[in-house]
Amino acid sequence: MELNSHIPEGKLEEKWSSHKAGLKLVNPANKRKFEIIVIGTGLAGASAAASLGELGYQVKSFCFQDSPRRAHSIAAQGGINAAKNYRNDGDSVYRLFYDTIKGGDFRAREANVYRLAELSVAIIDQAVAQGVPFAREYSGLLDNRSFGGTQVSRTFYARGQTGQQLLLGAISSMCRQITLGNVQVFPFHEMLDIVLIDGRAKGIVARNLITGEIKSYAAHAVILASGGYGNIFYLSTNAKGSNATAIWRAYKKGAFFANPCFTQIHPTCIPVSSHNQSKLTLMSEGLRNDGRVWIPKNKNDNRSPEQIPETDRDYFLENRYPAFGNLVPRDVASRAIKQVCDEGRGVRGKMAVYLDLSDAINRLGKEVISERYGNLFEMYERITGESPYRTPMRIYPAIHYCMGGLWVDYNLMTTIPGLFALGECNFSDHGANRLGASALMQGLADGYFIIPYTISNYLAELGTEKKNVYHPNFREAENKVKEQVRKFLSTKGNRTVDDFHKELGKVLWDGVGMSRSEQSLKDAIDKIKGLREEFLKNVKVNGIDESLNQSLEKAGRVSDFLELAELLAMDALARDESCGCHFRIEHQTEEHEPKRNDEKFSHVAVWEYQGSDNPPKMHKEVLKFERIHLAARSYK
Amino acid sequence: MKFSLKIWRQKNAQDKGSFVNYEVFGISEEMSFLEMLDVLNEDLTLKGEDPVAFAHDCREGICGTCGLFINGRAHGPLRETTTCQLFMRHFKDGEALTIEPWRAKAFPVIKDLVVDRSAFDRILQAGGFVSVNVGSAPEANSILIPKKDADHAFDAATCIGCGACVATCKNASAVLFVSAKVSHLALMPQGKPERQVRVLNMVKAMDNEGFGNCTNTGACEIECPKGITLASIARLRREYCKAKLKP
């Protein structure tokens, strides 16, 4: 199969508007004859369900949580970017586009990223109209702050809870459509397979997590907005339920998977403290606006941080990257932190550095800082027992986001006709590294402003005739899912699902984490294979299928992680260069910065499933840069 | 550290349910309360028993999924703290801990410590929104909102929908939850055109779900993990009276 990204011809600035002008429309009276399934209710899924409902389509929205409002977008802290240029500081659509491409280390599509920057301004308008309580100036105008990888202030925020407020805004629009009868919600439902008829996506099989019932749902098109796979590492900033099952099962039905090795490590998380730790907590990148990252100059300095004078501190980010200082992109900051800790220079020899807001507290006063970051400070104090008002925070990088995901064309359609992927679960906009405050922007751009146009083009060609759930392909998919459930419950081995998941996480963090080498990747692949075989024979899941069974839910998710893990490592092995988050130790400059190889790797690596007995096949989508001049990324 | 746990076990909505006692050992201070339950569940699983079902997801205090009644208090002993943000250093070594689900007629138990809070979603669907379609929004800075109003609206909008207010109220009233959404939107110009129909519809939906009436005990304010105050309830009442009195 040939990959066709369907990127429109013409000037970069005109691609989206000319593309929209050429898309087919569905007549308003016919819209209600089309059914669309949306998987996931985060920013991308909720905004898509709401805007498609507004247009008059019949939408079925599924989430595994007990309520759509709980999707993990809710936890995004810092903000959302938009090229409003309210600060008169030189921002523009072009600059947001350029920052995003450069931040992604030149591994994203120009046309998609430009469209994202263009749409960013309308997202803020939409959110404000919904009643999202963004931070404001005393004049009543919207406030902004700056984020990593940029030199302008373009981030809109609602204290440290921007994701929560944007998600509740999108959910409120969805609630309105539920009341109007255009959207139907299925909470506590997990999608376990996608069903194709004549090569097109025609529905799904889902399990009701309360009753255990496995049932088919038919539709004219299916949208996946199921989030990222960061939880594959076990310890991550994702919610415990976040999983790759929807996209992985779509991959096994023929949707290609792009750049799986692009997994982002966030520099500022609370360090691991206990061996039974189940999750890592992020401290927003927004803190780097006012916080300074440092370590003691002397390795063996065991004084408490307040007692260490300026002259004995090493502000290593400011020293190494004078132009961007503490606001270098996430991958750059993470690697620098790892490097000093690996050298044994971390706080008291441990894997942690200080993130210190005392200068800002002295300069601006406790009240201003508390207004900006109050909830984060409280969260930090609850978890660590230390108050950031008195002593600097200790932070260390952790897995946070996945740039990789299902391959989509310019219309956000996967390689399966009728199957679309939005938000974090697609690969499209962030290249090898995502800039802060851009995930919310992408999820909402996809859901509010892109999919309503592109899906109509697909549906208009398709016609309103609907397949029903009695088609044998639905039966076959249901039986496969039932068989897997039966298998998990009857294996009766000796190890719990979490135990396998923890081991997988460790294998990945060690071999496919912040730095990777040919050897570490080959070792990881061997270990993953062994672990997967053991899982099939030795997993222990108790209880029954016909009721809420959280171990059974986890077993399905971990079994998919065990398969995806190998693809992740294979992709990292095949990408024999360093770029963005993907740091191959073989390819670095003398100053330990990543060294790209544009000649050989200026492409998207796109993987096609070939059955469980064969290795996947790699396709390449060559990235063509018409506007931007490829350059070594420098934040010095 | 070790703890004696007395946990509510209930197979499904129909089952009567009862307390079961467990002991957990080797717990460290840095562990979260839910990680302590993870340890118990790993142990139960290896023994071939059904692990304890409890609701949780983000484990950073924002998704509103978790919610346990610990020693008679919704979300346990700390103020403005969700269950997932409790750490074992907040408890004494050897302490006896009684762990129950939220108990309210409108929140039926699904299994063990997990309850069905879909009633909250139905209340929001009745009116917790501004009727604006994508595409019709005006330029964001054309709507000026005094900072003080925006801040107060934000304070109300931080509600995570966990249901602690209902669980702790002797009347099982959902008024704090409803008042938070009503206040958030009533305080902002965007929410004003629909404020009357919104408050009437949401209160009606709340009554239909079987929540009790508010008698101003103030327990909800004490247990709300996001610090939403009775001022919201006062605002809900004003909104409701104004809407009712208006012809």
Side-chain angles (χ1 to χ4, degrees):
Chain A
M1 182 181 166
E2 276 296 300
L3 286 175
N4 185 344
S5 57
H6 295 111
I7 292 171
E9 295 295 319
K11 271 178 70 184
L12 190 60
E13 291 82 354
E14 288 157 16
K15 281 183 196 287
W16 177 231
S17 46
S18 65
H19 185 66
K20 274 197 297 186
L23 292 174
K24 293 189 188 69
L25 300 175
V26 176
N27 142 351
N30 275 344
K31 285 202 178 92
R32 74 178 67 91
K33 295 179 188 154
F34 286 105
E35 289 188 33
I36 301 167
I37 285 173
V38 181
I39 305 298
T41 58
L43 286 171
S47 59
S51 39
L52 295 172
E54 285 165 11
L55 289 169
Y57 295 110
Q58 293 297 300
V59 179
K60 286 191 170 77
S61 157
F62 291 78
C63 65
F64 70 81
Q65 295 91 342
D66 73 332
S67 161
R69 67 179 293 157
R70 314 230 189 264
H72 196 55
S73 301
I74 199 104
Q77 297 171 351
I80 176 165
N81 289 329
K84 284 281 197 188
N85 194 28
Y86 284 162
R87 288 304 180 96
N88 192 32
D89 57 0
D91 199 11
S92 63
V93 167
Y94 183 82
R95 196 174 286 273
L96 174 53
F97 153 74
Y98 183 79
D99 285 348
T100 308
I101 289 272
K102 180 186 170 196
D105 215 356
F106 307 95
R107 290 293 174 263
R109 271 188 204 146
E110 270 190 342
N112 284 55
V113 177
Y114 193 87
R115 173 175 65 183
L116 177 65
E118 227 178 327
L119 293 173
S120 67
V121 291
I123 297 171
I124 303 302
D125 298 343
Q126 173 64 16
V128 167
Q130 285 167 339
V132 170
F134 282 118
R136 292 193 176 254
E137 310 265 15
Y138 283 102
S139 57
L141 296 162
L142 289 156
D143 192 16
N144 293 109
R145 60 187 173 204
S146 43
F147 248 61
T150 69
Q151 289 174 315
V152 294
S153 283
R154 63 161 75 98
T155 306
F156 294 78
Y157 68 101
R159 261 174 245 174
Q161 289 156 250
T162 318
Q164 180 198 29
Q165 295 308 320
L166 287 170
L167 181 62
L168 294 181
I171 295 281
S172 75
S173 286
M174 190 170 126
C175 280
R176 175 166 162 251
Q177 294 308 315
I178 295 168
T179 303
L180 293 171
N182 297 325
V183 175
Q184 202 185 347
V185 276
F186 295 83
F188 273 129
H189 277 69
E190 180 159 30
M191 180 201 122
L192 293 178
D193 209 355
I194 179 107
V195 179
L196 272 58
I197 298 174
D198 303 329
R200 290 173 185 269
K202 290 291 181 184
I204 62 159
V205 172
R207 179 169 178 270
N208 178 327
L209 301 182
I210 298 188
T211 63
E213 186 190 19
I214 287 160
K215 202 174 151 184
S216 294
Y217 300 84
H220 294 87
V222 178
I223 296 172
L224 300 183
S226 54
Y229 47 91
N231 247 352
I232 198 167
F233 287 82
Y234 187 73
L235 283 179
S236 80
T237 64
N238 286 188
K240 293 298 285 175
S242 301
N243 66 77
T245 290
I247 54 171
W248 189 249
R249 296 191 186 188
Y251 164 75
K252 288 169 84 172
K253 281 284 174 83
F256 292 5
F257 207 118
N259 296 335
C261 79
F262 288 168
T263 51
Q264 181 169 69
I265 316 254
H266 196 291
T268 54
C269 301
I270 301 177
V272 177
S273 62
S274 114
H275 68 279
N276 282 304
Q277 192 140 350
S278 60
K279 122 127 216 161
L280 295 172
T281 303
L282 179 76
M283 288 285 109
S284 169
E285 180 162 317
L287 290 164
R288 285 199 273 145
N289 260 307
D290 290 309
R292 301 178 69 193
V293 174
W294 63 275
I295 46 170
K297 266 190 189 154
N298 178 351
K299 254 189 199 184
N300 307 314
D301 195 335
N302 284 329
R303 286 176 289 180
S304 72
E306 309 83 55
Q307 287 166 346
I308 301 178
E310 282 294 303
T311 46
D312 292 347
R313 298 177 177 192
D314 178 6
Y315 292 94
F316 58 97
L317 287 179
E318 294 170 25
N319 297 340
R320 196 156 146 185
Y321 307 101
F324 282 71
N326 294 294
L327 283 175
V328 287
R330 292 174 172 176
D331 55 330
V332 177
S334 294
R335 265 192 302 276
I337 294 169
K338 179 183 186 318
Q339 198 193 331
V340 297
C341 291
D342 286 348
E343 289 164 12
R345 300 201 288 139
V347 171
R348 298 195 186 102
K350 291 198 175 151
M351 302 310 254
V353 300
Y354 290 124
L355 174 62
D356 194 344
L357 275 91
S358 55
D359 278 3
I361 294 172
N362 293 336
R363 189 173 71 245
L364 302 166
K366 198 175 156 183
E367 207 169 297
V368 173
I369 293 299
S370 147
E371 185 148 303
R372 285 186 193 163
Y373 311 113
N375 66 317
L376 298 173
F377 278 26
E378 285 162 24
M379 197 195 293
Y380 182 86
E381 185 168 358
R382 260 183 234 116
I383 294 174
T384 63
E386 296 166 7
S387 165
Y389 292 111
R390 285 195 293 274
T391 185
M393 296 186 216
R394 287 169 297 111
I395 50 131
Y396 195 72
I399 291 285
H400 179 57
Y401 184 89
C402 299
M403 282 73 68
L406 291 183
W407 184 89
V408 288
D409 66 6
Y410 191 69
N411 294 316
L412 304 183
M413 189 150 83
T414 67
T415 47
I416 298 175
L419 180 71
F420 296 80
L422 318 185
E424 189 179 348
C425 80
N426 76 26
F427 88 104
S428 73
D429 295 357
H430 306 295
N433 173 57
R434 179 174 66 73
L435 289 184
S438 284
L440 305 184
M441 172 172 73
Q442 187 220 336
L444 291 178
D446 288 1
Y448 285 138
F449 298 109
I450 301 174
I451 194 71
Y453 290 92
T454 58
I455 207 167
S456 79
N457 188 56
Y458 173 77
L459 295 173
E461 282 179 357
L462 184 73
T464 55
E465 192 215 341
K466 191 183 148 188
K467 300 286 178 191
N468 70 42
V469 293
Y470 302 108
H471 192 281
N473 292 11
F474 279 101
R475 284 290 94 76
E476 192 191 318
E478 279 176 31
N479 288 338
K480 210 178 76 191
V481 168
K482 284 177 187 162
E483 171 57 25
Q484 194 193 33
V485 167
R486 198 195 54 76
K487 175 94 179 42
F488 289 141
L489 288 169
S490 62
T491 303
K492 299 197 186 301
N494 295 314
R495 285 181 74 180
T496 64
V497 179
D498 274 355
D499 198 30
F500 280 103
H501 195 179
K502 279 180 197 171
E503 186 175 337
L504 174 66
K506 181 143 188 355
V507 168
L508 289 177
W509 183 248
D510 291 345
V512 200
M514 252 193 289
S515 60
R516 303 156 173 185
S517 68
E518 186 180 343
Q519 196 53 48
S520 81
L521 293 165
K522 285 182 174 161
D523 289 349
I525 290 172
D526 285 344
K527 284 180 193 158
I528 293 162
K529 279 184 179 155
L531 199 58
R532 194 166 59 225
E533 275 166 33
E534 196 199 335
F535 181 84
L536 293 173
K537 289 183 207 136
N538 199 23
V539 71
K540 188 172 177 67
V541 181
N542 301 337
I544 53 170
D545 174 26
E546 296 80 16
S547 80
L548 183 66
N549 187 336
Q550 294 167 325
S551 312
L552 183 60
E553 293 166 26
K554 280 192 277 191
R557 295 168 194 163
V558 171
S559 119
D560 292 336
F561 280 147
L562 282 162
E563 295 179 7
L564 168 56
E566 189 178 342
L567 186 69
L568 205 166
M570 282 173 69
D571 186 44
L573 188 60
R575 191 169 282 279
D576 195 13
E577 65 160 351
S578 293
C579 61
C581 69
H582 172 66
F583 190 69
R584 285 282 300 263
I585 58 167
E586 302 95 329
H587 304 287
Q588 53 183 313
T589 65
E590 279 172 12
E591 291 156 312
H592 306 296
E593 301 295 343
K595 228 159 108 183
R596 285 199 327 262
N597 182 343
D598 291 332
E599 215 168 286
K600 278 191 169 159
F601 294 98
S602 185
H603 62 248
V604 181
V606 191
W607 298 87
E608 180 185 7
Y609 186 66
Q610 301 280 316
S612 55
D613 300 328
N614 304 305
K617 185 176 164 196
M618 189 173 78
H619 304 258
K620 289 178 188 171
E621 181 197 336
V622 175
L623 292 166
K624 292 190 202 94
F625 292 92
E626 293 168 4
R627 178 60 62 86
I628 273 183
H629 171 65
L630 289 183
R633 211 168 49 139
S634 167
Y635 291 94
K636 298 225 169 198
Chain B
M1 298 170 96
K2 63 175 182 164
F3 295 92
S4 307
L5 309 175
K6 187 175 159 188
I7 300 181
W8 185 259
R9 302 298 311 257
Q10 183 175 337
K11 282 202 179 82
N12 51 44
Q14 290 73 42
D15 184 26
K16 251 185 88 184
S18 62
F19 281 108
V20 178
N21 294 317
Y22 302 97
E23 302 282 323
V24 284
F25 304 93
I27 304 297
S28 68
E29 286 195 329
E30 294 84 32
M31 281 167 66
S32 73
F33 192 86
L34 297 184
E35 283 161 3
M36 182 271 295
L37 290 180
D38 290 342
V39 170
L40 170 71
N41 275 345
E42 288 292 279
D43 192 40
L44 291 178
T45 304
L46 290 175
K47 281 187 197 154
E49 294 175 38
D50 201 12
V52 179
F54 62 92
H56 65 98
D57 200 24
C58 78
R59 295 200 176 192
E60 51 186 277
I62 194 74
C63 73
T65 310
C66 67
L68 298 175
F69 221 67
I70 301 163
N71 286 350
R73 290 194 62 181
H75 289 306
L78 296 199
R79 276 197 89 145
E80 294 192 21
T81 302
T82 55
T83 301
C84 66
Q85 295 293 289
L86 291 173
F87 286 77
M88 296 320 289
R89 85 174 84 81
H90 300 133
F91 297 87
K92 282 193 222 85
D93 190 11
E95 200 174 339
L97 302 170
T98 305
I99 306 170
E100 297 170 77
W102 286 171
R103 294 188 194 274
K105 188 175 137 202
F107 289 167
V109 171
I110 292 170
K111 185 182 177 185
D112 297 338
L113 304 170
V114 181
V115 299
D116 177 357
R117 287 169 290 194
S118 55
F120 269 10
D121 289 340
R122 289 188 291 274
I123 296 174
L124 287 183
Q125 288 156 21
F129 48 77
V130 172
S131 298
V132 53
N133 277 12
V134 173
S136 58
E139 150 59 39
N141 257 349
S142 66
I143 307 172
L144 294 182
I145 306 179
K147 185 172 185 318
K148 204 178 76 187
D149 291 353
D151 287 348
H152 284 155
F154 178 89
D155 289 339
T158 56
C159 169
I160 55 173
C162 64
C165 48
V166 174
T168 197
C169 175
K170 63 175 185 170
N171 307 316
S173 167
V175 164
L176 192 70
F177 169 77
V178 176
S179 73
K181 185 46 73 185
V182 167
S183 297
H184 158 211
L185 294 175
L187 279 160
M188 302 189 82
Q190 302 93 307
K192 295 223 157 109
E194 295 168 284
R195 65 198 291 185
Q196 290 174 355
V197 56
R198 175 182 307 117
V199 68
L200 295 176
N201 285 343
M202 289 182 76
V203 168
K204 193 169 153 203
M206 170 180 80
D207 290 341
N208 288 344
E209 294 293 342
F211 290 103
N213 291 320
C214 172
T215 54
N216 282 326
T217 65
C220 52
E221 178 185 67
I222 291 169
E223 299 297 40
C224 175
K226 295 294 147 184
I228 293 166
T229 65
L230 295 181
S232 283
I233 299 185
R235 184 166 282 108
L236 169 78
R237 295 217 164 101
R238 283 203 296 281
E239 290 290 315
Y240 188 78
C241 289
K242 275 195 258 175
K244 271 285 188 196
L245 292 172
K246 189 137 186 179

